[in-house]
Amino acid sequence: MADRGLHDPAAADDAVVDPDAWHLYRGTGRPREDTPGIGLLPSPPPWRRFTGGPLIEEPPPQDEAEFTRRLGPVDGTVPRAASARERDLVNAALLLRRPLIVTGPPGIGKSSLAHCISRELGLSRVLRWNITSRSTLKEGLYAYDAIGRVQEAAARGALRGPAVQAVSEPAGEPEAMGQPPAEPDSDALRNVGDYIQLGPLGTALLPRSVPRVLLIDEIDKADVDLVGDLLSVFEEGEYRVPELARMRSRTPDVEVHTDDPDGTAVVHHGLVRCAAFPVVVITSNGERVLPPAFLRRCLYLELPPPDAGQLAAVLSAHLSDGDETRSIMIRDFLARSRTGGTLAADQLLSSEFLRTTPAGPDQNSWNELLHALWRRLDGAGTGG
């Protein structure tokens, strides 16, 4: 296999190279202590540079509560331990500005990887797009409530009826003040943004100097057209909102709602173009074959089922330190998963919580309850 050769930044001056220096993402699930990891991210390749603007200066919202719910407290006793392959592929996706497809059995932490990346690199709230069989590209980009806008226009027209006009005439506005009347559709132009809601993908592509993290969950459920449509957006890093583009000569800047809670952003000339391509994590259960053209534009990471040490770390992140009974339960859980069908880590987490909580089941109920909790996930029965 070829070595790094001339691509080694120290090759020209014989400087000492730290072999772990390129690991911006270390897979611990904890923020870096030196500097936010994303601040160390080098410039993108020339073919992945985008020029969106003007940049949005207001930082996106944080969501440490969601990080804690999914990953455990940031100061947990046992840090997450990622494999070398996971670290390499996540960092390659970061440097190349390419989406990362994450596959593996259900319940092994594929979607949690997006939250782990965001917390560790000091990024913000994770934008999440849950895919269904009815999902379309437009749904991920934006939604336009045309019916709501028509209803408000009708209500506004009713309020401007003869009765209201008679009451307002003595005030002398606007004609009595010598001002020209407003255009009939001026209000509609001003508030059209109230009826446009950017989706998770659309919000992730807003022009920011720091990328957002976007989780596209369960791409297996997508229609084949959606997978193909995503290619163009991933390559171009932009999209248009036709409802705004049509009125750009009269209203070039429109404030719209985003996928963040109470979030808004200004769209210029109906075009949204990113400045920093988002960190895109796409999860798949491996239930379908994705088109080669799509795979060619992404990196591919297959997560293996967790081992005893990784399961122990998951339990310790959410619960207190373990005891000998926990070790036995992890051993039994792995044995059941190997012989009785696929099990998920959250099934083990649920059973350990019930076992250790003071209000949990008594011993007479425990065995039967554990059998129900460890039901196999492949639809082939209870796992015997």
Side-chain angles (χ1 to χ4, degrees), residues 36 57 93 95 121 137 144 187 194 199 210 308 311 379:
E57 300 296 338
L95 269 64
L121 299 188
L137 179 64
Y144 173 53
D187 286 344
D194 291 341
V210 176
L311 289 174

Side-chain angles (χ1 to χ4, degrees), residues 73-267:
V74 70
D75 56 353
T77 56
V78 180
R80 183 178 180 273
S83 67
R85 180 170 178 79
E86 176 187 319
R87 294 195 303 270
D88 286 342
L89 283 170
V90 169
N91 282 289
L94 289 171
L95 269 64
L96 293 173
R97 274 57 166 192
R98 288 294 187 184
L100 178 66
I101 300 175
V102 184
T103 67
I108 64 171
K110 298 187 295 293
S111 60
S112 295
L113 180 60
H115 296 83
C116 188
I117 294 172
S118 186
R119 175 193 261 183
E120 186 170 328
L121 299 188
L123 299 175
S124 56
R125 169 182 176 267
V126 173
L127 298 162
R128 180 167 186 160
W129 184 13
N130 294 309
I131 300 298
T132 70
S133 59
R134 297 181 299 276
S135 295
T136 63
L137 179 64
K138 184 179 178 181
E139 170 195 308
L141 294 175
Y142 75 97
Y144 173 53
D145 185 7
I147 294 177
R149 190 181 178 201
V150 169
Q151 290 174 338
E152 180 178 315
R156 191 167 55 244
L159 290 176
R160 289 175 175 172
V164 174
Q165 184 176 0
V167 173
S168 62
E169 280 179 352
E173 294 183 343
E175 289 82 358
M177 300 291 293
Q179 300 174 0
E183 294 181 16
D185 63 345
S186 61
D187 286 344
L189 289 176
R190 282 197 297 270
N191 70 1
V192 62
D194 291 341
Y195 302 96
I196 293 179
Q197 171 89 44
L198 300 187
L201 176 57
T203 302
L205 291 172
L206 288 170
R208 294 184 179 274
S209 59
V210 176
R212 297 296 301 267
V213 177
L214 170 66
L215 171 63
I216 302 180
D217 209 12
E218 299 195 1
I219 194 68
D220 308 74
K221 297 179 180 178
D223 183 83
V224 65
D225 290 337
L226 172 58
V227 177
D229 292 342
L230 282 171
L231 285 178
S232 176
V233 177
F234 287 162
E235 284 300 296
E236 303 302 326
E238 66 180 41
Y239 64 97
R240 286 193 177 274
V241 181
E243 293 82 357
L244 301 183
R246 285 194 293 266
M247 60 178 62
R248 62 184 180 274
S249 62
R250 293 170 291 173
T251 310
D253 295 318
V254 178
E255 187 176 47
V256 302
H257 300 282
T258 71
D259 195 57
D260 291 315
D262 301 320
T264 60
V266 174
V267 175

Side-chain angles (χ1 to χ4, degrees), residues 71 77-82 106-109 304-322 326-338 343-353 374:
L71 306 175
T77 56
V78 180
R80 183 178 180 273
I108 64 171
D307 58 24
Q310 291 169 324
L311 289 174
V314 169
L315 297 183
S316 296
H318 293 278
L319 305 172
S320 59
D321 290 338
R326 175 178 293 181
S327 300
I328 295 173
M329 178 174 288
I330 292 175
R331 182 196 65 195
D332 293 345
F333 178 84
L334 290 172
R336 174 73 71 92
S337 186
R338 285 191 296 267
L343 297 177
D346 54 1
Q347 292 173 282
L348 176 63
L349 185 61
S350 297
S351 58
E352 178 65 359
F353 175 80
W374 290 2

